[in-house]
Amino acid sequence: MITVISQILGFIGSLCLLLFGMEMLSNGIQKGAGSSLQSLLHKISGNRFTAVLTGLAVTAIIQSSGATTVMVVSFVNAEIISLTQAIGIIFGANIGTTVTAWIVSLFGFSFSMEAAAIPLFGIGFILKYFKKFKIHNFADCFMGFALLFMALGLLKTSMNLKPESVSFLQKFQDLNFAGLLLGVLIGTLFTALIHSSSATTAIVLTMSANGSLPWELGAAMVLGSNIGSTVDAVMSSFGASVNAKRTAAVHVAFNVTGTLLALIFFQPFLNLIDFIVPGQPAQNITTHIAMLHTVFNISATILFLPFVKQIAAITEKLIHESQKEKEAHYKIPIILPKNECCCKNLTQNYLLVFRKILLKFRVL
């Protein structure tokens, strides 16, 4: 009983450290890049292809599709970018979030992560004192990466479960399509709870590497994490403009539709991954899962990208603009009447303000 409680607490602590490291990494890059990172979203997202590349690049840099989609929703709300531009950026953000899976797959299990974490954290801490060269803002990037590697190492230790201790997971796989749906639901709920599809993918990779998670169930949970990642966009659209709500709706519809299509053609999809990645899944399952995550998001983007304008039109028909929001676009400037009363009141107000300024500087 004590061992079980210790493993649960170790898992919770490792997960919190992972989330904190990813948040520090994301905040550090955003602070270091400054406003140029945000202006990048609406400067180079002129057409659907550059919009996808913009979403991919920004998400790969800041390691958070949630942060990218929240920025996109806020820009649409402020009418800085259009709905069609936002759709392209969201497509790219889904591809960019797969970078974390490749980092974990290629580096997370091939060397001592704790050994890499300590020097990175030291470099980041030293950079905090180089304010003169304006590189201190990037200190959090190195420290965030260090905590990320450290958390992955702790996750690997805390989740070192024997396959027989989690044999119930194998029963999910024996349920065929119902088991896959259950795996998708678990991935969705867990991602929505922790607000990070990258963290969910890292946990799936860790459990798969330990042999405690079957290949098919791990694939289903990764697909579910794409649906759960939309929770940030939905929450940021509360109380926002109608276009911001449309953007969030497109994000949800895109990820749900893509996941359903992947489930319908699930076995051929897995066969495609087995064909791309050499060897059996049991031999290099982390690479298989990372490749599945990437191929899924790229395929969904290629499938829906030609219909961006149609998707935007359908969304505009489904989510109507209220009369209040329509009137907000056409504000008539108020012209004050030129009469003595108005001029007199304005003159008195100006004199009152001028008198307060003089009193403040002790002129009167």
Side-chain angles (χ1 to χ4, degrees):
M1 186 66 183
I2 296 174
T3 305
V4 173
I5 295 173
S6 176
Q7 282 189 327
I8 293 173
L9 293 176
F11 167 73
I12 293 173
S14 303
L15 176 60
C16 292
L17 186 62
L18 179 69
L19 294 172
F20 182 69
M22 293 179 68
E23 183 181 3
M24 181 177 283
L25 171 63
S26 176
N27 292 339
I29 293 175
Q30 290 183 68
K31 282 195 298 183
S35 59
S36 58
L37 182 64
Q38 295 185 357
S39 63
L40 180 71
L41 282 173
H42 66 271
K43 280 185 178 179
I44 64 173
S45 57
N47 59 63
R48 66 187 71 182
F49 300 104
T50 56
V52 170
L53 293 176
T54 302
L56 193 159
V58 172
T59 306
I61 291 171
I62 67 177
Q63 288 290 291
S64 175
S65 61
T68 303
T69 52
V70 167
M71 279 194 288
V72 168
V73 170
S74 64
F75 284 162
V76 173
N77 186 51
E79 298 184 359
I80 296 174
I81 60 176
S82 64
L83 179 60
T84 53
Q85 288 175 310
I87 294 172
I89 294 172
I90 286 172
F91 288 177
N94 280 359
I95 300 174
T97 195
T98 63
V99 172
T100 306
W102 283 109
I103 291 174
V104 177
S105 175
L106 297 176
F107 303 108
F109 304 102
S110 58
F111 67 97
S112 175
M113 288 170 283
E114 291 85 350
I118 294 172
L120 278 174
F121 197 89
I123 292 171
F125 188 79
I126 293 170
L127 284 178
K128 293 179 77 72
Y129 297 95
F130 283 83
K131 296 183 179 181
K132 184 178 181 181
F133 301 100
K134 295 183 179 180
I135 59 174
H136 64 284
N137 286 327
F138 290 100
D140 286 350
C141 301
F142 289 91
M143 296 171 75
F145 259 122
L147 294 178
L148 184 65
F149 283 140
M150 192 177 295
L152 288 171
L154 293 172
L155 269 177
K156 186 178 179 182
T157 304
S158 65
M159 299 182 68
N160 192 15
L161 305 172
K162 295 179 180 180
E164 54 268 21
S165 63
V166 286
S167 58
F168 66 93
L169 293 174
Q170 188 66 42
K171 295 179 180 178
F172 288 173
Q173 189 167 304
D174 296 337
L175 295 173
N176 297 324
F177 191 73
L180 294 178
L181 287 177
L182 192 57
V184 170
L185 181 62
I186 292 171
T188 301
L189 294 177
F190 191 76
T191 304
L193 182 66
I194 66 176
H195 293 267
S196 176
S197 61
S198 298
T200 303
T201 306
I203 292 169
V204 170
L205 286 167
T206 305
M207 293 183 68
S208 300
N210 291 336
S212 56
L213 194 65
W215 158 228
E216 289 82 359
L217 183 59
M221 289 176 67
V222 168
L223 293 176
S225 70
N226 284 276
I227 300 176
S229 65
T230 62
V231 67
D232 291 315
V234 173
M235 290 177 66
S236 62
S237 67
F238 290 155
S241 67
V242 65
N243 274 331
K245 293 175 183 176
R246 289 167 179 167
T247 304
V250 168
H251 193 196
V252 174
F254 171 68
N255 285 15
V256 170
T257 306
T259 301
L260 289 176
L261 288 174
L263 286 175
I264 292 171
F265 302 100
F266 191 70
Q267 200 54 53
F269 185 42
L270 294 190
N271 293 336
L272 174 63
I273 303 303
D274 292 338
F275 176 76
I276 296 173
V277 181
Q280 295 298 318
Q283 297 173 343
N284 51 3
I285 191 168
T286 55
T287 308
H288 272 74
I289 291 176
M291 182 61 73
L292 177 138
H293 199 197
T294 304
V295 171
F296 166 74
N297 284 297
I298 291 176
S299 301
T301 300
I302 293 173
L303 181 64
F304 292 106
L305 189 61
F307 307 103
V308 167
K309 291 184 178 179
Q310 289 82 355
I311 292 171
I314 292 171
T315 310
E316 287 171 356
K317 287 182 180 179
L318 292 176
I319 303 177
H320 299 285
E321 192 174 27
S322 65
Q323 188 62 35
K324 184 179 179 181
E325 288 174 317
K326 287 180 181 179
E327 293 173 354
H329 295 293
Y330 306 99
K331 291 182 178 179
I332 302 173
I334 299 172
I335 302 174
L336 292 173
K338 294 182 180 180
N339 52 38
E340 289 185 5
C341 182
C342 180
C343 293
K344 184 178 180 181
N345 290 337
L346 285 173
T347 304
Q348 289 178 347
N349 288 337
Y350 285 133
L351 288 174
L352 184 61
V353 171
F354 184 68
R355 186 172 182 276
K356 287 182 178 179
I357 294 172
L358 295 177
L359 286 171
K360 184 178 181 180
F361 291 97
R362 301 180 185 277
V363 176
L364 293 178

